[in-house]
Amino acid sequence: MNIIQGKHYAIVPQARWRRRYVLTVIKDGTVEIRIPASWKEQKISEVMFRHRRWLAKRAEELEARREKEANKISIDWCELPDTWWRKAARVDLWNRLDIWADEMSLTIRKRRLTGARTRWGSCNSMGDISLSWRLMLTAPELRDYVVIHELAHRRHMNHSPRFWAEVARWCPDYKERRTRLRTSGGEIG
Ligand SMILES: [Zn+2]
């Protein structure tokens, strides 16, 4: 079965005849989203976006329980094929991008998924944002930091103190996250 496993949630396709989706919290705290197999990624993102506060609350509960594991991902995960990670990234990263763009009252023109090893993300003056699917190999809060960083470039196309003030507004502990991301390898544009 094709299962897209996020750090906090699992997307489980169901039989095509099923029309409704079901959100549940399973035993280990993972949010399980059962969706009709015919659904496109866009629709999954829409459902997650609609229930984002609920999902965030559940994710927090899970995070509290698994605090010690937050920064590591098991070997099994890393051995999954690139295509799997791309698919998971299109749901997870684009969903984060939608949520943060909404929170920060910003718009995005195009979004692009890269496989870059040395650059986590970038944003150009047109409002096109690129993110590397390899971010999926980092902790969820580090993905949020990269998303916030790139979105903040929609207001300041530089790394000026005003830019960092914008990042800090949405991510007060950005310095710590930035350091953790550096130790994971890669840079951020
Ligand atoms: Zn930057």
Side-chain angles (χ1 to χ4, degrees):
M1 200 200 296
N2 177 23
I3 298 174
I4 301 169
Q5 187 87 41
K7 194 96 167 106
H8 300 310
Y9 49 83
I11 295 167
V12 187
Q14 306 200 100
R16 284 188 178 270
W17 54 266
R18 285 191 188 272
R19 291 199 174 173
R20 302 188 60 177
Y21 63 89
V22 183
L23 293 177
T24 44
V25 181
I26 57 176
K27 231 179 184 178
D28 68 351
T30 303
V31 175
E32 193 178 84
I33 308 162
R34 293 188 169 270
I35 47 122
S38 58
W39 278 25
K40 299 267 186 286
E41 283 156 11
Q42 175 66 25
K43 202 159 179 188
I44 301 171
S45 297
E46 278 167 20
V47 165
M48 288 167 67
F49 184 72
R50 202 179 308 146
H51 298 284
R52 63 191 187 279
R53 291 186 213 291
W54 186 86
L55 287 167
K57 198 170 158 233
R58 291 294 175 275
E60 259 172 42
E61 288 166 11
L62 175 64
E63 199 63 38
R65 251 179 277 173
R66 295 181 163 188
E67 212 171 337
K68 284 178 185 170
E69 293 173 41
N71 204 19
K72 67 176 189 219
I73 287 182
S74 76
I75 297 297
D76 296 356
W77 278 58
C78 300
E79 285 175 353
L80 286 162
D82 290 6
T83 49
W84 189 95
W85 284 113
R86 279 185 176 276
K87 200 166 184 179
R90 273 197 289 270
V91 174
D92 183 287
L93 300 180
W94 293 164
N95 191 50
R96 285 175 204 279
L97 198 56
D98 286 335
I99 289 168
W100 282 109
D102 185 60
E103 288 286 325
M104 296 164 77
S105 304
L106 287 165
T107 57
I108 309 153
R109 199 180 68 141
K110 281 187 197 158
R111 54 187 71 191
R112 200 166 67 89
L113 199 64
T114 75
R117 288 172 190 277
T118 52
R119 196 162 205 195
W120 294 119
S122 63
C123 175
N124 67 21
S125 56
M126 306 288 288
D128 304 334
I129 288 182
S130 297
L131 296 172
S132 173
W133 61 259
R134 289 178 206 280
L135 275 168
M136 295 301 291
L137 300 168
T138 69
E141 63 271 25
L142 302 187
R143 288 175 229 157
D144 277 333
Y145 160 67
V146 174
V147 166
I148 292 165
H149 181 117
E150 299 312 336
L151 283 167
H153 278 312
R154 297 285 291 122
R155 294 221 161 93
H156 307 282
M157 280 306 295
N158 50 43
H159 292 111
S160 63
R162 286 176 68 197
F163 165 82
W164 289 114
E166 179 68 23
V167 173
R169 195 177 154 201
W170 307 101
C171 184
D173 62 342
Y174 78 88
K175 283 182 184 166
E176 189 223 314
R177 296 195 207 188
R178 191 175 55 183
T179 306
R180 282 172 62 197
L181 201 57
R182 276 179 189 151
T183 59
S184 311
E187 286 193 347
I188 181 167

